[in-house]
Amino acid sequence: MLFRSAAGCAGLETAYRSLKRQGKTDKDIRFVNFAGDGATYDIGFQALSGAMERGHNMLFVCFNNEAYMNTGIQRSSATERGASTTTSWNGSNSYGKAEYPKDMTAIMAEHHIPFAAQTAPHAWRDMVEKARKAFECGGPAFINALSPCPRGWRFASSDTIEISKLGVAACIWPLYEVEYGTDYVLSPESRRIADGKVEKRPVIDWFESQGRFKHLKDERWADVVEEIQKETDRRWNILLKKCGL
């Protein structure tokens, strides 16, 4: 099952190391685990945290589409505040999900593993370089990959790359990497925002690009949008401090 995938991958890596010690294989094998945000942030968190804490030489990749998309678009702890899902719907007395998303990349970094990072599909060179570092770090590694979902986020498939770019531009999804829990480095695209060379977009631009947030255009939820902007800015500023900026 996907929610046990980290434990399964860790078990395979352990068996491989045993075979190497016994001289039963001389193959150089790398281990990588792919899972969605539900199987990473929620029901698979215990297994993932355990694998990272034990130091298994494996890469765990979260395809983060911010909800349980393949079972009906239910909210997860990766779902953004204000998003409408089948279990956090908007209505006359609700603006969608009431909670902010968990910062899983920072949580993984706090395990002081050799490498953790955030990536996005439009920044493919950045993604390839981070994957290389993750495979070569010599221990547990974690990559949180933004995965825009046309069905669940309600946008045209042809807009996927633009949606990805906007997530970074609005600092909803900053690109960065962390080594051993302390060495935070902004990726070039996010660094240009931090340096003021590229405009930081407001979160309302992100909301207006997707149907799951369309209700937030209503004036009665203006205070919610303002609160989300403040929280986004707060988290961005914390990241800048961690990066020494």
PDB file of all heavy atoms in Angstrom, residues 31-64:
ATOM      1  N   PHE A  31      17.822   3.565  -4.453  1.00  0.00           N
ATOM      2  CA  PHE A  31      16.431   3.350  -4.064  1.00  0.00           C
ATOM      3  C   PHE A  31      15.667   4.670  -4.058  1.00  0.00           C
ATOM      4  O   PHE A  31      16.109   5.648  -3.448  1.00  0.00           O
ATOM      5  CB  PHE A  31      16.366   2.688  -2.679  1.00  0.00           C
ATOM      6  CG  PHE A  31      16.908   1.291  -2.670  1.00  0.00           C
ATOM      7  CD1 PHE A  31      18.275   1.069  -2.505  1.00  0.00           C
ATOM      8  CD2 PHE A  31      16.073   0.202  -2.848  1.00  0.00           C
ATOM      9  CE1 PHE A  31      18.795  -0.222  -2.509  1.00  0.00           C
ATOM     10  CE2 PHE A  31      16.572  -1.089  -2.854  1.00  0.00           C
ATOM     11  CZ  PHE A  31      17.942  -1.308  -2.692  1.00  0.00           C
ATOM     12  N   VAL A  32      14.518   4.669  -4.737  1.00  0.00           N
ATOM     13  CA  VAL A  32      13.682   5.867  -4.796  1.00  0.00           C
ATOM     14  C   VAL A  32      12.233   5.470  -4.587  1.00  0.00           C
ATOM     15  O   VAL A  32      11.778   4.436  -5.083  1.00  0.00           O
ATOM     16  CB  VAL A  32      13.865   6.625  -6.124  1.00  0.00           C
ATOM     17  CG1 VAL A  32      13.519   5.745  -7.315  1.00  0.00           C
ATOM     18  CG2 VAL A  32      13.042   7.910  -6.146  1.00  0.00           C
ATOM     19  N   ASN A  33      11.524   6.266  -3.826  1.00  0.00           N
ATOM     20  CA  ASN A  33      10.134   6.020  -3.476  1.00  0.00           C
ATOM     21  C   ASN A  33       9.288   7.208  -3.928  1.00  0.00           C
ATOM     22  O   ASN A  33       9.621   8.358  -3.635  1.00  0.00           O
ATOM     23  CB  ASN A  33      10.047   5.861  -1.953  1.00  0.00           C
ATOM     24  CG  ASN A  33       8.701   5.385  -1.453  1.00  0.00           C
ATOM     25  OD1 ASN A  33       8.602   4.387  -0.755  1.00  0.00           O
ATOM     26  ND2 ASN A  33       7.644   6.099  -1.777  1.00  0.00           N
ATOM     27  N   PHE A  34       8.200   6.945  -4.646  1.00  0.00           N
ATOM     28  CA  PHE A  34       7.289   7.993  -5.088  1.00  0.00           C
ATOM     29  C   PHE A  34       5.951   7.837  -4.370  1.00  0.00           C
ATOM     30  O   PHE A  34       5.423   6.729  -4.266  1.00  0.00           O
ATOM     31  CB  PHE A  34       7.065   7.939  -6.602  1.00  0.00           C
ATOM     32  CG  PHE A  34       8.300   8.158  -7.417  1.00  0.00           C
ATOM     33  CD1 PHE A  34       8.983   7.088  -7.969  1.00  0.00           C
ATOM     34  CD2 PHE A  34       8.784   9.441  -7.636  1.00  0.00           C
ATOM     35  CE1 PHE A  34      10.128   7.281  -8.720  1.00  0.00           C
ATOM     36  CE2 PHE A  34       9.935   9.646  -8.388  1.00  0.00           C
ATOM     37  CZ  PHE A  34      10.609   8.563  -8.927  1.00  0.00           C
ATOM     38  N   ALA A  35       5.407   8.948  -3.879  1.00  0.00           N
ATOM     39  CA  ALA A  35       4.099   8.916  -3.212  1.00  0.00           C
ATOM     40  C   ALA A  35       3.432  10.270  -3.346  1.00  0.00           C
ATOM     41  O   ALA A  35       4.080  11.276  -3.632  1.00  0.00           O
ATOM     42  CB  ALA A  35       4.258   8.550  -1.741  1.00  0.00           C
ATOM     43  N   GLY A  36       2.128  10.302  -3.146  1.00  0.00           N
ATOM     44  CA  GLY A  36       1.389  11.557  -3.163  1.00  0.00           C
ATOM     45  C   GLY A  36       1.446  12.241  -1.806  1.00  0.00           C
ATOM     46  O   GLY A  36       2.041  11.729  -0.853  1.00  0.00           O
ATOM     47  N   ASP A  37       0.806  13.398  -1.712  1.00  0.00           N
ATOM     48  CA  ASP A  37       0.862  14.136  -0.453  1.00  0.00           C
ATOM     49  C   ASP A  37       0.095  13.435   0.655  1.00  0.00           C
ATOM     50  O   ASP A  37       0.491  13.514   1.825  1.00  0.00           O
ATOM     51  CB  ASP A  37       0.370  15.574  -0.634  1.00  0.00           C
ATOM     52  CG  ASP A  37      -0.993  15.657  -1.290  1.00  0.00           C
ATOM     53  OD1 ASP A  37      -1.064  15.532  -2.522  1.00  0.00           O
ATOM     54  OD2 ASP A  37      -1.995  15.839  -0.573  1.00  0.00           O
ATOM     55  N   GLY A  38      -0.977  12.734   0.328  1.00  0.00           N
ATOM     56  CA  GLY A  38      -1.709  12.010   1.364  1.00  0.00           C
ATOM     57  C   GLY A  38      -0.849  10.937   2.006  1.00  0.00           C
ATOM     58  O   GLY A  38      -0.830  10.774   3.234  1.00  0.00           O
ATOM     59  N   ALA A  39      -0.108  10.207   1.175  1.00  0.00           N
ATOM     60  CA  ALA A  39       0.749   9.128   1.654  1.00  0.00           C
ATOM     61  C   ALA A  39       2.069   9.650   2.212  1.00  0.00           C
ATOM     62  O   ALA A  39       2.872   8.875   2.719  1.00  0.00           O
ATOM     63  CB  ALA A  39       1.027   8.129   0.527  1.00  0.00           C
ATOM     64  N   THR A  40       2.285  10.960   2.123  1.00  0.00           N
ATOM     65  CA  THR A  40       3.500  11.580   2.652  1.00  0.00           C
ATOM     66  C   THR A  40       3.189  12.395   3.901  1.00  0.00           C
ATOM     67  O   THR A  40       3.752  12.182   4.970  1.00  0.00           O
ATOM     68  CB  THR A  40       4.148  12.494   1.592  1.00  0.00           C
ATOM     69  OG1 THR A  40       4.440  11.743   0.420  1.00  0.00           O
ATOM     70  CG2 THR A  40       5.427  13.122   2.126  1.00  0.00           C
ATOM     71  N   TYR A  41       2.274  13.335   3.776  1.00  0.00           N
ATOM     72  CA  TYR A  41       1.955  14.266   4.854  1.00  0.00           C
ATOM     73  C   TYR A  41       1.099  13.618   5.949  1.00  0.00           C
ATOM     74  O   TYR A  41       1.176  14.028   7.105  1.00  0.00           O
ATOM     75  CB  TYR A  41       1.172  15.449   4.310  1.00  0.00           C
ATOM     76  CG  TYR A  41       1.958  16.503   3.579  1.00  0.00           C
ATOM     77  CD1 TYR A  41       2.726  16.207   2.464  1.00  0.00           C
ATOM     78  CD2 TYR A  41       1.901  17.839   3.978  1.00  0.00           C
ATOM     79  CE1 TYR A  41       3.421  17.187   1.774  1.00  0.00           C
ATOM     80  CE2 TYR A  41       2.598  18.834   3.299  1.00  0.00           C
ATOM     81  CZ  TYR A  41       3.359  18.497   2.195  1.00  0.00           C
ATOM     82  OH  TYR A  41       4.050  19.481   1.512  1.00  0.00           O
ATOM     83  N   ASP A  42       0.273  12.652   5.577  1.00  0.00           N
ATOM     84  CA  ASP A  42      -0.736  12.140   6.506  1.00  0.00           C
ATOM     85  C   ASP A  42      -0.516  10.663   6.844  1.00  0.00           C
ATOM     86  O   ASP A  42       0.239  10.338   7.741  1.00  0.00           O
ATOM     87  CB  ASP A  42      -2.137  12.349   5.922  1.00  0.00           C
ATOM     88  CG  ASP A  42      -2.470  13.808   5.683  1.00  0.00           C
ATOM     89  OD1 ASP A  42      -1.934  14.666   6.393  1.00  0.00           O
ATOM     90  OD2 ASP A  42      -3.267  14.096   4.770  1.00  0.00           O
ATOM     91  N   ILE A  43      -1.167   9.778   6.114  1.00  0.00           N
ATOM     92  CA  ILE A  43      -1.199   8.357   6.502  1.00  0.00           C
ATOM     93  C   ILE A  43       0.138   7.650   6.342  1.00  0.00           C
ATOM     94  O   ILE A  43       0.324   6.573   6.889  1.00  0.00           O
ATOM     95  CB  ILE A  43      -2.290   7.599   5.725  1.00  0.00           C
ATOM     96  CG1 ILE A  43      -2.139   7.798   4.215  1.00  0.00           C
ATOM     97  CG2 ILE A  43      -3.674   8.033   6.184  1.00  0.00           C
ATOM     98  CD1 ILE A  43      -3.180   7.051   3.395  1.00  0.00           C
ATOM     99  N   GLY A  44       1.077   8.244   5.607  1.00  0.00           N
ATOM    100  CA  GLY A  44       2.393   7.630   5.478  1.00  0.00           C
ATOM    101  C   GLY A  44       3.471   8.332   6.269  1.00  0.00           C
ATOM    102  O   GLY A  44       4.649   7.952   6.197  1.00  0.00           O
ATOM    103  N   PHE A  45       3.090   9.338   7.048  1.00  0.00           N
ATOM    104  CA  PHE A  45       4.084  10.166   7.734  1.00  0.00           C
ATOM    105  C   PHE A  45       4.936   9.371   8.725  1.00  0.00           C
ATOM    106  O   PHE A  45       6.153   9.548   8.808  1.00  0.00           O
ATOM    107  CB  PHE A  45       3.410  11.336   8.441  1.00  0.00           C
ATOM    108  CG  PHE A  45       4.369  12.195   9.219  1.00  0.00           C
ATOM    109  CD1 PHE A  45       5.242  13.046   8.554  1.00  0.00           C
ATOM    110  CD2 PHE A  45       4.425  12.132  10.601  1.00  0.00           C
ATOM    111  CE1 PHE A  45       6.147  13.831   9.262  1.00  0.00           C
ATOM    112  CE2 PHE A  45       5.327  12.911  11.309  1.00  0.00           C
ATOM    113  CZ  PHE A  45       6.190  13.761  10.638  1.00  0.00           C
ATOM    114  N   GLN A  46       4.299   8.489   9.478  1.00  0.00           N
ATOM    115  CA  GLN A  46       5.034   7.726  10.486  1.00  0.00           C
ATOM    116  C   GLN A  46       6.131   6.888   9.843  1.00  0.00           C
ATOM    117  O   GLN A  46       7.285   6.892  10.292  1.00  0.00           O
ATOM    118  CB  GLN A  46       4.083   6.826  11.275  1.00  0.00           C
ATOM    119  CG  GLN A  46       4.765   6.010  12.364  1.00  0.00           C
ATOM    120  CD  GLN A  46       3.792   5.093  13.075  1.00  0.00           C
ATOM    121  OE1 GLN A  46       2.815   4.623  12.487  1.00  0.00           O
ATOM    122  NE2 GLN A  46       4.037   4.823  14.350  1.00  0.00           N
ATOM    123  N   ALA A  47       5.784   6.186   8.759  1.00  0.00           N
ATOM    124  CA  ALA A  47       6.759   5.339   8.073  1.00  0.00           C
ATOM    125  C   ALA A  47       7.872   6.176   7.453  1.00  0.00           C
ATOM    126  O   ALA A  47       9.052   5.801   7.496  1.00  0.00           O
ATOM    127  CB  ALA A  47       6.065   4.507   6.997  1.00  0.00           C
ATOM    128  N   LEU A  48       7.518   7.316   6.881  1.00  0.00           N
ATOM    129  CA  LEU A  48       8.514   8.198   6.269  1.00  0.00           C
ATOM    130  C   LEU A  48       9.461   8.768   7.317  1.00  0.00           C
ATOM    131  O   LEU A  48      10.685   8.742   7.142  1.00  0.00           O
ATOM    132  CB  LEU A  48       7.810   9.333   5.523  1.00  0.00           C
ATOM    133  CG  LEU A  48       8.707  10.456   4.990  1.00  0.00           C
ATOM    134  CD1 LEU A  48       9.768   9.910   4.044  1.00  0.00           C
ATOM    135  CD2 LEU A  48       7.849  11.520   4.300  1.00  0.00           C
ATOM    136  N   SER A  49       8.921   9.277   8.405  1.00  0.00           N
ATOM    137  CA  SER A  49       9.748   9.843   9.461  1.00  0.00           C
ATOM    138  C   SER A  49      10.700   8.789  10.016  1.00  0.00           C
ATOM    139  O   SER A  49      11.887   9.057  10.258  1.00  0.00           O
ATOM    140  CB  SER A  49       8.870  10.407  10.580  1.00  0.00           C
ATOM    141  OG  SER A  49       9.657  10.937  11.630  1.00  0.00           O
ATOM    142  N   GLY A  50      10.196   7.584  10.207  1.00  0.00           N
ATOM    143  CA  GLY A  50      11.038   6.512  10.716  1.00  0.00           C
ATOM    144  C   GLY A  50      12.182   6.172   9.778  1.00  0.00           C
ATOM    145  O   GLY A  50      13.327   5.970  10.212  1.00  0.00           O
ATOM    146  N   ALA A  51      11.885   6.118   8.485  1.00  0.00           N
ATOM    147  CA  ALA A  51      12.920   5.797   7.499  1.00  0.00           C
ATOM    148  C   ALA A  51      13.996   6.877   7.464  1.00  0.00           C
ATOM    149  O   ALA A  51      15.194   6.584   7.359  1.00  0.00           O
ATOM    150  CB  ALA A  51      12.292   5.629   6.117  1.00  0.00           C
ATOM    151  N   MET A  52      13.586   8.143   7.562  1.00  0.00           N
ATOM    152  CA  MET A  52      14.551   9.244   7.559  1.00  0.00           C
ATOM    153  C   MET A  52      15.385   9.218   8.833  1.00  0.00           C
ATOM    154  O   MET A  52      16.607   9.399   8.807  1.00  0.00           O
ATOM    155  CB  MET A  52      13.825  10.584   7.435  1.00  0.00           C
ATOM    156  CG  MET A  52      13.029  10.787   6.150  1.00  0.00           C
ATOM    157  SD  MET A  52      14.038  10.868   4.637  1.00  0.00           S
ATOM    158  CE  MET A  52      13.759   9.201   3.964  1.00  0.00           C
ATOM    159  N   GLU A  53      14.744   8.970   9.976  1.00  0.00           N
ATOM    160  CA  GLU A  53      15.457   8.958  11.258  1.00  0.00           C
ATOM    161  C   GLU A  53      16.475   7.824  11.321  1.00  0.00           C
ATOM    162  O   GLU A  53      17.566   7.982  11.886  1.00  0.00           O
ATOM    163  CB  GLU A  53      14.435   8.846  12.402  1.00  0.00           C
ATOM    164  CG  GLU A  53      15.031   8.904  13.802  1.00  0.00           C
ATOM    165  CD  GLU A  53      15.417   7.541  14.337  1.00  0.00           C
ATOM    166  OE1 GLU A  53      14.826   6.528  13.910  1.00  0.00           O
ATOM    167  OE2 GLU A  53      16.336   7.493  15.175  1.00  0.00           O
ATOM    168  N   ARG A  54      16.150   6.679  10.708  1.00  0.00           N
ATOM    169  CA  ARG A  54      17.062   5.533  10.756  1.00  0.00           C
ATOM    170  C   ARG A  54      18.215   5.669   9.760  1.00  0.00           C
ATOM    171  O   ARG A  54      19.183   4.915   9.826  1.00  0.00           O
ATOM    172  CB  ARG A  54      16.293   4.238  10.485  1.00  0.00           C
ATOM    173  CG  ARG A  54      15.328   3.838  11.594  1.00  0.00           C
ATOM    174  CD  ARG A  54      14.783   2.437  11.376  1.00  0.00           C
ATOM    175  NE  ARG A  54      14.079   2.301  10.112  1.00  0.00           N
ATOM    176  CZ  ARG A  54      12.786   2.560   9.924  1.00  0.00           C
ATOM    177  NH1 ARG A  54      12.047   2.995  10.955  1.00  0.00           N
ATOM    178  NH2 ARG A  54      12.210   2.418   8.752  1.00  0.00           N
ATOM    179  N   GLY A  55      18.114   6.629   8.845  1.00  0.00           N
ATOM    180  CA  GLY A  55      19.227   6.891   7.946  1.00  0.00           C
ATOM    181  C   GLY A  55      19.325   5.995   6.734  1.00  0.00           C
ATOM    182  O   GLY A  55      20.430   5.803   6.199  1.00  0.00           O
ATOM    183  N   HIS A  56      18.221   5.466   6.266  1.00  0.00           N
ATOM    184  CA  HIS A  56      18.266   4.613   5.076  1.00  0.00           C
ATOM    185  C   HIS A  56      18.723   5.413   3.857  1.00  0.00           C
ATOM    186  O   HIS A  56      18.299   6.559   3.651  1.00  0.00           O
ATOM    187  CB  HIS A  56      16.886   4.007   4.804  1.00  0.00           C
ATOM    188  CG  HIS A  56      16.459   3.027   5.845  1.00  0.00           C
ATOM    189  ND1 HIS A  56      16.915   1.734   5.878  1.00  0.00           N
ATOM    190  CD2 HIS A  56      15.630   3.169   6.911  1.00  0.00           C
ATOM    191  CE1 HIS A  56      16.384   1.099   6.907  1.00  0.00           C
ATOM    192  NE2 HIS A  56      15.597   1.951   7.553  1.00  0.00           N
ATOM    193  N   ASN A  57      19.561   4.803   3.057  1.00  0.00           N
ATOM    194  CA  ASN A  57      20.075   5.460   1.847  1.00  0.00           C
ATOM    195  C   ASN A  57      19.026   5.350   0.745  1.00  0.00           C
ATOM    196  O   ASN A  57      19.065   4.455  -0.103  1.00  0.00           O
ATOM    197  CB  ASN A  57      21.392   4.801   1.420  1.00  0.00           C
ATOM    198  CG  ASN A  57      22.104   5.607   0.346  1.00  0.00           C
ATOM    199  OD1 ASN A  57      21.586   6.610  -0.144  1.00  0.00           O
ATOM    200  ND2 ASN A  57      23.287   5.174  -0.034  1.00  0.00           N
ATOM    201  N   MET A  58      18.069   6.265   0.768  1.00  0.00           N
ATOM    202  CA  MET A  58      16.941   6.235  -0.165  1.00  0.00           C
ATOM    203  C   MET A  58      16.441   7.653  -0.417  1.00  0.00           C
ATOM    204  O   MET A  58      16.596   8.537   0.419  1.00  0.00           O
ATOM    205  CB  MET A  58      15.793   5.387   0.401  1.00  0.00           C
ATOM    206  CG  MET A  58      15.295   5.856   1.764  1.00  0.00           C
ATOM    207  SD  MET A  58      13.965   4.854   2.484  1.00  0.00           S
ATOM    208  CE  MET A  58      12.531   5.606   1.693  1.00  0.00           C
ATOM    209  N   LEU A  59      15.868   7.839  -1.574  1.00  0.00           N
ATOM    210  CA  LEU A  59      15.246   9.118  -1.921  1.00  0.00           C
ATOM    211  C   LEU A  59      13.733   8.957  -1.899  1.00  0.00           C
ATOM    212  O   LEU A  59      13.193   8.059  -2.552  1.00  0.00           O
ATOM    213  CB  LEU A  59      15.700   9.564  -3.315  1.00  0.00           C
ATOM    214  CG  LEU A  59      14.914  10.706  -3.974  1.00  0.00           C
ATOM    215  CD1 LEU A  59      14.946  11.960  -3.121  1.00  0.00           C
ATOM    216  CD2 LEU A  59      15.445  10.980  -5.379  1.00  0.00           C
ATOM    217  N   PHE A  60      13.070   9.809  -1.151  1.00  0.00           N
ATOM    218  CA  PHE A  60      11.609   9.819  -1.107  1.00  0.00           C
ATOM    219  C   PHE A  60      11.114  11.064  -1.839  1.00  0.00           C
ATOM    220  O   PHE A  60      11.495  12.185  -1.492  1.00  0.00           O
ATOM    221  CB  PHE A  60      11.109   9.830   0.338  1.00  0.00           C
ATOM    222  CG  PHE A  60       9.626   9.605   0.482  1.00  0.00           C
ATOM    223  CD1 PHE A  60       9.132   8.364   0.838  1.00  0.00           C
ATOM    224  CD2 PHE A  60       8.715  10.631   0.254  1.00  0.00           C
ATOM    225  CE1 PHE A  60       7.763   8.151   0.976  1.00  0.00           C
ATOM    226  CE2 PHE A  60       7.358  10.429   0.378  1.00  0.00           C
ATOM    227  CZ  PHE A  60       6.886   9.180   0.742  1.00  0.00           C
ATOM    228  N   VAL A  61      10.277  10.871  -2.858  1.00  0.00           N
ATOM    229  CA  VAL A  61       9.738  11.975  -3.651  1.00  0.00           C
ATOM    230  C   VAL A  61       8.237  12.074  -3.424  1.00  0.00           C
ATOM    231  O   VAL A  61       7.501  11.100  -3.633  1.00  0.00           O
ATOM    232  CB  VAL A  61      10.017  11.788  -5.151  1.00  0.00           C
ATOM    233  CG1 VAL A  61       9.440  12.954  -5.952  1.00  0.00           C
ATOM    234  CG2 VAL A  61      11.518  11.655  -5.413  1.00  0.00           C
ATOM    235  N   CYS A  62       7.787  13.242  -2.994  1.00  0.00           N
ATOM    236  CA  CYS A  62       6.357  13.496  -2.830  1.00  0.00           C
ATOM    237  C   CYS A  62       5.836  14.246  -4.048  1.00  0.00           C
ATOM    238  O   CYS A  62       6.283  15.359  -4.331  1.00  0.00           O
ATOM    239  CB  CYS A  62       6.101  14.321  -1.572  1.00  0.00           C
ATOM    240  SG  CYS A  62       4.373  14.843  -1.372  1.00  0.00           S
ATOM    241  N   PHE A  63       4.913  13.638  -4.787  1.00  0.00           N
ATOM    242  CA  PHE A  63       4.203  14.324  -5.853  1.00  0.00           C
ATOM    243  C   PHE A  63       3.044  15.078  -5.206  1.00  0.00           C
ATOM    244  O   PHE A  63       1.985  14.510  -4.956  1.00  0.00           O
ATOM    245  CB  PHE A  63       3.692  13.342  -6.909  1.00  0.00           C
ATOM    246  CG  PHE A  63       4.773  12.748  -7.763  1.00  0.00           C
ATOM    247  CD1 PHE A  63       4.768  11.398  -8.077  1.00  0.00           C
ATOM    248  CD2 PHE A  63       5.802  13.541  -8.257  1.00  0.00           C
ATOM    249  CE1 PHE A  63       5.769  10.852  -8.874  1.00  0.00           C
ATOM    250  CE2 PHE A  63       6.802  13.003  -9.056  1.00  0.00           C
ATOM    251  CZ  PHE A  63       6.787  11.658  -9.359  1.00  0.00           C
ATOM    252  N   ASN A  64       3.262  16.340  -4.922  1.00  0.00           N
ATOM    253  CA  ASN A  64       2.342  17.107  -4.080  1.00  0.00           C
ATOM    254  C   ASN A  64       1.283  17.826  -4.904  1.00  0.00           C
ATOM    255  O   ASN A  64       1.501  18.925  -5.407  1.00  0.00           O
ATOM    256  CB  ASN A  64       3.148  18.116  -3.255  1.00  0.00           C
ATOM    257  CG  ASN A  64       2.319  18.759  -2.162  1.00  0.00           C
ATOM    258  OD1 ASN A  64       1.097  18.657  -2.147  1.00  0.00           O
ATOM    259  ND2 ASN A  64       2.992  19.431  -1.247  1.00  0.00           N
TER     260      ASN A  64
END
